[in-house]
Amino acid sequence: MDPYPKPLRDLISQLKRLPGVGEKTATRLALFILGDRDNLAGDLSRSLETVSDSIRLCPICFNLTDMPKCSICQDPSRDPSIICVVEEPSDVLALESAHALKGLYHVLHGLISPINGIGPEDIKLPELIERLSKNSVSEVIVATNPSVEGEGTFHYITRLIEERKLPVRISRIASGIPMGGELKYMDQVTLASALRYRRSVKEK
Amino acid sequence: MDPYPKPLRDLISQLKRLPGVGEKTATRLALFILGDRDNLAGDLSRSLETVSDSIRLCPICFNLTDMPKCSICQDPSRDPSIICVVEEPSDVLALESAHALKGLYHVLHGLISPINGIGPEDIKLPELIERLSKNSVSEVIVATNPSVEGEGTFHYITRLIEERKLPVRISRIASGIPMGGELKYMDQVTLASALRYRRSVKEK
């Protein structure tokens, strides 16, 4: 016999759908939520409802937004001729926190991954090409992760743009030793990449 | 400028109230919930609402329930003369999974902890004494954790019962080496306790 009432058991099942949450963590979270005197259950429930009702994808860059256009696409101070291509909305957050991009974004919502059956049509790649064809974009910065899928998607984007002879400069974010990192702890691929793409220091 | 829309930011704040969830985990969970195509947000929201609406404490043992009495207190096959005192509802689950108790429970919802300002009146201790005074209970098994607070609460319960001269046998769950544990990895207090409370093997 299950000593937990059904609604609690249901909540545990729902929490188990979250990444990295198993039976034990879900039970701990559910009991914590129930034991919270500041109505965490109610607040969280309302918050989830609002999110699922109001959050949509921006029709231009496919970032998350609760407005007709996302806040970045709406911003007149951004340069629309530069488009930075990323895998996920969280990558936009990471790049925005660096305050280093004055252009706009394009969120692919995935990467091409033949092994997982994800082709170019399954992510927002056709939308990227359409966007590049229609608008006067001068540079596409491909900022997918330096992984097998990220590199593969980068090469695929390059090929698509070159095939269509779009007048767009393509660039790839730099790969190398992260700031504060130590050479002795880096893997060989990163070291090889850091050496290969070394910057030449020009003297005036 | 925050690149995340307000409803998403709100959800992240709510998720951060969960134990062990910081900014990064909350963001990851929120984005996962949003990206889930099987309406995890809606399901989780409904589940939380149902839980916060329907789950109450059993008026007898203070376990969680969605009925007027909890499933254990309702069960006619359980022996009401044995009461096992535990700290939290999750302890009931743990003990029930062992199928080793035929009696009922009493959930204290905390332990006496002077350092945190939690006195006997702040937990369900008065209710325990009332329950013992009214009903014909023959044994109270104190199954609080073998921690400072757990031991302190055990001694306090013992004193209360003895002061009131209640005709109740008091027992404490055994403390020792867990099954499958290794002596060399045990702390000194556990080893001392295991030796002190050794069982004598009686030959017939």
Side-chain angles (χ1 to χ4, degrees), chain B residues 22-71:
Chain B
E23 178 77 26
K24 287 218 165 182
T25 308
T27 307
R28 194 168 59 92
L29 291 178
L31 289 171
F32 178 88
I33 290 169
L34 265 180
D36 190 89
R37 281 156 205 213
D38 300 326
N39 194 24
L40 175 55
D43 293 349
L44 198 50
S45 168
R46 262 188 305 282
S47 206
L48 283 162
E49 211 186 313
T50 315
V51 151
S52 82
D53 288 350
S54 67
I55 300 285
R56 300 277 168 276
L57 296 185
C58 170
I60 300 168
C61 73
F62 302 100
N63 190 12
L64 300 169
T65 184
D66 57 343
M67 289 170 291
K69 277 208 272 182
C70 85
S71 57

Side-chain angles (χ1 to χ4, degrees), chain A residues 126-172:
Chain A
E127 289 85 348
L128 173 66
I129 298 301
E130 203 192 319
R131 200 172 159 194
L132 296 179
S133 315
K134 274 192 197 160
N135 301 283
S136 54
V137 176
S138 63
E139 182 174 1
V140 171
I141 305 169
V142 183
T144 53
N145 290 329
S147 61
V148 174
E149 282 91 0
E151 291 293 323
T153 306
F154 162 57
H155 289 298
Y156 194 88
I157 292 172
T158 309
R159 217 179 65 198
L160 277 184
I161 292 174
E162 285 173 351
E163 274 176 6
R164 278 164 185 71
K165 295 194 174 61
L166 297 171
V168 179
R169 192 154 69 93
I170 309 161
S171 60
R172 179 86 176 107

Side-chain angles (χ1 to χ4, degrees), chain B residues 3-200:
Chain B
Y4 280 167
K6 198 180 165 297
L8 185 55
R9 183 58 57 199
D10 287 345
L11 177 59
I12 293 171
S13 314
Q14 295 300 338
L15 288 170
K16 271 163 71 181
R17 291 168 64 184
L18 294 172
V21 176
E23 178 77 26
K24 287 218 165 182
T25 308
T27 307
R28 194 168 59 92
L29 291 178
L31 289 171
F32 178 88
I33 290 169
L34 265 180
D36 190 89
R37 281 156 205 213
D38 300 326
N39 194 24
L40 175 55
D43 293 349
L44 198 50
S45 168
R46 262 188 305 282
S47 206
L48 283 162
E49 211 186 313
T50 315
V51 151
S52 82
D53 288 350
S54 67
I55 300 285
R56 300 277 168 276
L57 296 185
C58 170
I60 300 168
C61 73
F62 302 100
N63 190 12
L64 300 169
T65 184
D66 57 343
M67 289 170 291
K69 277 208 272 182
C70 85
S71 57
I72 298 170
C73 288
Q74 267 180 17
D75 188 347
S77 72
R78 314 279 302 212
D79 180 356
S81 73
I82 299 171
I83 290 181
C84 179
V85 179
V86 295
E87 180 186 349
E88 289 178 345
S90 52
D91 299 329
V92 175
L93 181 77
L95 286 168
E96 280 301 286
S97 69
H99 302 287
L101 187 85
K102 56 182 174 130
L104 303 179
Y105 291 92
H106 189 91
V107 184
L108 293 175
H109 288 274
L111 294 173
I112 299 170
S113 173
I115 211 166
N116 297 312
I118 302 170
E121 309 290 317
D122 300 318
I123 60 175
K124 306 289 183 192
L125 249 186
E127 290 85 348
L128 173 66
I129 298 302
E130 204 193 319
R131 200 172 158 194
L132 296 180
S133 316
K134 274 190 198 163
N135 301 283
S136 55
V137 176
S138 63
E139 181 174 3
V140 170
I141 306 168
V142 183
T144 52
N145 291 327
S147 61
V148 175
E149 281 92 0
E151 290 294 322
T153 307
F154 162 58
H155 289 297
Y156 194 88
I157 293 172
T158 309
R159 217 179 66 199
L160 277 185
I161 291 174
E162 285 171 351
E163 275 176 5
R164 276 163 186 72
K165 296 193 173 60
L166 297 171
V168 179
R169 192 154 70 93
I170 309 162
S171 60
R172 180 87 176 106
I173 43 159
S175 182
I177 322 289
M179 285 293 161
E182 291 191 42
L183 262 77
K184 60 184 168 194
Y185 299 133
M186 288 295 136
D187 61 293
Q188 295 116 316
V189 184
T190 303
L191 287 172
S193 172
L195 277 177
R196 188 172 163 202
Y197 299 109
R198 64 192 178 277
R199 255 177 318 162
S200 50

Side-chain angles (χ1 to χ4, degrees), chain A residues 12 14 26 34 51 66 69 78 93 97 135 137 172:
Chain A
I12 294 171
Q14 295 300 338
L34 264 181
V51 152
D66 57 342
K69 278 207 271 182
R78 315 278 301 211
L93 181 76
S97 69
N135 301 283
V137 176
R172 179 86 176 107

